Amino acid sequence: MMKTKMVLAVLTILAPLPLQARPVAPAAAQEATAKVTPERLAAAKALMDELMPPDRRDAMMDGMLRPMMANIQQGLLSNPQMAEKLESVPQARSILQAFLKEQTESMMALMRKNMPGMIDAMAHAYARRFDTQQLGELQAFFATPTGRAYMEQSMQVMSDPDVAAWQRSLMQQSMEKAQKDAQALAEKLEAAAKNKGNGQ
């Protein structure tokens, strides 16, 4: 049972940060269904090359994801309940650290492999929401020193101390809730199994 709870907790933390689904505003919904013309798509692809230059894409993604995964590991290992469980199982901490490292490398490899598809999907998304003039203006801005600096630094935001501290706090809160939810689920399943055994 303890092993199952630990796995559930780890998997919950490794999942993406909880993002609440928000209703799409009518205007946004209309923009999202705009026709992707060849002209718009070409302009959007040019913008994507400016936002994420092909020769910098892997490094930019690496700079964003590695700090995030490091925060996840630190938040996970510093959680009091998880720390207690790890201390009760010999070598559990080193096993978990190796697992998280493997997951980070696996995620990075998966992102690199699927980068072309992501760039193409984003180009289509931009093409639906902006016309050729707007896309050209965006490209012109991001070609400026300020625009380039913004893109480079925006990918490093997760490593900022304040953002990292907030993320670790959020992960710890999320983990505590996940552990309680996992306990409640285990109890419900156990009760259901007992009821079935009693013929109810």
Side-chain angles (χ1 to χ4, degrees), residues 81-107:
Q81 291 177 318
M82 178 59 73
E84 182 180 348
K85 291 176 181 178
L86 292 176
E87 291 300 326
S88 67
V89 181
Q91 300 182 333
R93 180 175 294 271
S94 61
I95 291 172
L96 179 56
Q97 288 174 327
F99 172 77
L100 291 172
K101 181 179 180 180
E102 180 183 342
Q103 290 302 305
T104 298
E105 298 307 321
S106 177
M107 179 185 295

Side-chain angles (χ1 to χ4, degrees), residues 7-195:
V7 171
L8 284 171
V10 170
L11 293 179
T12 300
I13 289 299
L14 289 176
L17 289 177
L19 299 178
Q20 298 299 321
R22 292 177 294 177
V24 179
Q30 185 176 0
E31 291 170 356
T33 58
K35 185 177 180 181
V36 178
T37 65
E39 294 78 16
R40 279 193 175 200
L41 186 57
K45 288 182 176 180
L47 173 61
M48 291 308 304
D49 285 344
E50 196 67 58
L51 291 173
M52 297 183 70
D55 63 337
R56 293 278 300 133
R57 285 173 186 168
D58 285 350
M60 292 173 76
M61 193 60 62
D62 190 271
M64 180 180 69
L65 290 180
R66 286 194 187 280
M68 185 184 301
M69 293 302 292
N71 277 338
I72 289 174
Q73 177 170 322
Q74 186 173 349
L76 183 63
L77 296 176
S78 63
N79 178 270
Q81 291 177 318
M82 178 59 73
E84 182 180 348
K85 291 176 181 178
L86 292 176
E87 291 300 326
S88 67
V89 181
Q91 300 182 333
R93 180 175 294 271
S94 61
I95 291 172
L96 179 56
Q97 288 174 327
F99 172 77
L100 291 172
K101 181 179 180 180
E102 180 183 342
Q103 290 302 305
T104 298
E105 298 307 321
S106 177
M107 179 185 295
M108 294 304 305
L110 187 64
M111 286 301 299
R112 293 188 192 103
K113 180 180 178 181
N114 288 277
M115 185 74 73
M118 184 192 78
I119 295 298
D120 184 65
M122 290 178 66
H124 279 78
Y126 275 89
R128 287 190 184 93
R129 289 163 174 79
F130 302 98
D131 60 34
T132 52
Q133 180 179 340
Q134 292 170 325
L135 290 166
E137 291 172 353
L138 286 169
Q139 183 182 359
F141 167 70
F142 286 112
T144 66
T146 299
R148 287 194 296 270
Y150 170 79
M151 280 308 302
E152 286 289 337
Q153 293 302 315
S154 67
M155 302 296 282
Q156 306 294 327
V157 165
M158 296 311 297
S159 62
D160 182 87
D162 287 333
V163 176
W166 170 84
Q167 188 184 42
R168 286 193 297 271
S169 174
L170 178 64
M171 285 187 295
Q172 288 181 0
Q173 294 175 51
S174 177
M175 185 174 178
E176 289 171 4
K177 184 178 186 305
Q179 289 172 334
K180 291 178 181 178
D181 291 347
Q183 175 66 38
L185 175 61
E187 290 173 357
K188 288 180 181 179
L189 292 173
E190 186 177 351
K194 288 181 179 178
N195 289 337

